[in-house]
Amino acid sequence: MKLRELIRYSKTLLKNKRISTMIICLLPFLPEIFFRFTEATVYSLLLYFGDMKPLSLFSGENPLQVTIAVFSFILRLFTTAPLIYISAFRLCEICYDSSRKSFTPVSEILINGRNFRRSLAVSLWTEFIGLIALIPAGVAGITAYYFIMNTDDVFVIVQTIVLTIVSLFLWLNVRITLFAVPFLMAHFPHKSVFKLVFHSFKFMRGRRTDILKLFIVYSFPLLTLISAPYFLPEMMTAFALSISIYVREDDYSERIKINCNFNKSDNTSKVPHRKRRFTAFADQTEASGFGNNL
């Protein structure tokens, strides 16, 4: 599906659901903003009363600042992780069956202990992998800054800047991949978190460019606070719709592959014994209904 058609169809899914979808999409941002402002307020008080130097905000040499940062991170993680999953789950429900008049209650999703543990684990994994992916960009950026300030060699400066840009682009690809994990968790509720996170890299292979184009299209309207609540549901619905389409494409491809293996099994008498075992395995897989994810 082309980007224009994807956006047009996602708008039709939001018919008579825009306000409720907007609230669902804004849910993960509210605790994030609250704890960020609270953390900034505490730092401002510490700076005002002289208990902390401004440089300590970035160096981490003040134990009190580190304690506040860690405590704030834990609170944000425990509050935003289940809300992100709730938003992804509701958007997937809308994309799967837009004609439904009632959806799974938020309270039912929220009080499910398994959903909470899985969403928390997904957030921890995505934060960790995103941080690891950011390290090359950080090292390259620091190196580029060092050469800019201490050398006149234009060739070295340009090379380090290009390396920084490439590292940031790779980090952006990783973040786009990890952004799909909560939606995959909604589509595959019985898969382990570890498999979901690493399956997302294979799942998003060759599809990141389409998602990046979608984000670029909506980046300009989202930059203004006035239009952000209106366009955020459109972007998130289009993203959830694209994930649903990709899941169905993979499921269809898997069924075609199994059917091909099943057809080949009709002529197993001409196949050596070792290859015949794999054909028999395909028959068993088809009989068990493998690939029926939806």
Side-chain angles (χ1 to χ4, degrees):
M1 183 180 289
K2 295 182 179 180
L3 180 61
R4 185 178 300 177
E5 297 174 354
L6 181 73
I7 295 175
R8 186 186 299 115
Y9 184 68
S10 64
K11 289 180 180 179
T12 62
L13 294 177
L14 289 175
K15 188 177 181 180
N16 301 325
K17 304 186 195 71
R18 183 176 290 272
I19 296 179
S20 60
T21 308
M22 180 188 67
I23 295 173
I24 288 295
C25 293
L26 290 175
L27 275 179
F29 294 97
L30 299 179
E32 180 77 19
I33 295 173
F34 173 77
F35 287 115
R36 289 289 186 183
F37 271 104
T38 303
E39 187 178 0
T41 302
V42 174
Y43 290 156
S44 299
L45 291 174
L46 292 176
L47 291 172
Y48 178 79
F49 289 106
D51 296 331
M52 185 173 61
K53 298 179 180 179
L55 188 61
S56 301
L57 292 174
F58 310 97
S59 63
E61 61 183 15
N62 192 317
L64 181 59
Q65 185 269 335
V66 174
T67 303
I68 295 173
V70 172
F71 186 68
S72 176
F73 171 76
I74 293 174
L75 288 177
R76 292 199 311 271
L77 184 69
F78 273 80
T79 52
T80 57
L83 295 179
I84 291 173
Y85 175 70
I86 289 172
S87 300
F89 188 88
R90 175 59 60 83
L91 289 170
C92 289
E93 280 188 324
I94 293 174
C95 295
Y96 186 74
D97 186 6
S98 59
S99 61
R100 291 177 58 177
K101 295 183 179 180
S102 61
F103 299 93
T104 306
V106 173
S107 58
E108 182 178 335
I109 306 172
L110 191 61
I111 62 176
N112 191 314
R114 185 172 182 272
N115 290 337
F116 177 78
R117 293 190 298 270
R118 283 166 57 83
S119 61
L120 187 62
V122 164
S123 295
L124 286 172
W125 272 109
T126 53
E127 290 291 337
F128 176 74
I129 296 176
L131 181 61
I132 295 297
L134 188 61
I135 291 176
V139 173
I142 294 173
T143 305
Y145 176 78
Y146 174 81
F147 282 119
I148 290 172
M149 300 301 296
N150 295 281
T151 184
D152 296 329
D153 193 340
V154 179
F155 178 77
V156 174
I157 293 175
V158 171
Q159 293 296 317
T160 53
I161 292 175
V162 171
L163 181 61
T164 303
I165 295 174
V166 172
S167 301
L168 286 173
F169 181 75
L170 294 176
W171 171 78
L172 181 62
N173 283 333
V174 172
R175 293 304 305 181
I176 291 175
T177 300
L178 297 175
F179 194 64
V181 177
F183 297 86
L184 293 177
M185 187 170 66
H187 280 283
F188 304 103
H190 301 296
K191 263 191 176 182
S192 67
V193 172
F194 182 82
K195 289 182 179 180
L196 278 175
V197 172
F198 287 94
H199 171 69
S200 63
F201 288 90
K202 179 182 178 181
F203 178 82
M204 294 297 292
R205 187 182 304 163
R207 296 163 173 167
R208 299 184 186 93
T209 304
D210 298 332
I211 301 301
L212 183 60
K213 290 179 183 177
L214 176 66
F215 288 161
I216 291 174
V217 168
Y218 281 101
S219 61
F220 298 102
L222 291 177
L223 288 176
T224 59
L225 294 177
I226 297 176
S227 60
Y230 181 84
F231 287 101
L232 181 64
E234 288 186 10
M235 186 190 75
M236 296 305 300
T237 304
F239 179 79
L241 179 61
S242 63
I243 296 297
S244 298
I245 293 173
Y246 296 154
V247 169
R248 296 180 187 183
E249 287 178 352
D250 290 350
D251 183 61
Y252 180 76
S253 300
E254 192 67 32
R255 293 187 184 188
I256 292 295
K257 186 186 301 183
I258 294 174
N259 288 333
C260 291
N261 293 334
F262 179 75
N263 293 331
K264 290 179 181 179
S265 66
D266 295 336
N267 199 17
T268 55
S269 60
K270 300 179 181 179
V271 181
H273 175 69
R274 181 173 295 181
K275 293 184 179 179
R276 200 181 305 164
R277 288 184 302 169
F278 293 99
T279 308
F281 175 74
D283 297 340
Q284 295 174 3
T285 308
E286 175 69 18
S288 62
F290 176 74
N292 298 323
N293 294 325
L294 296 177

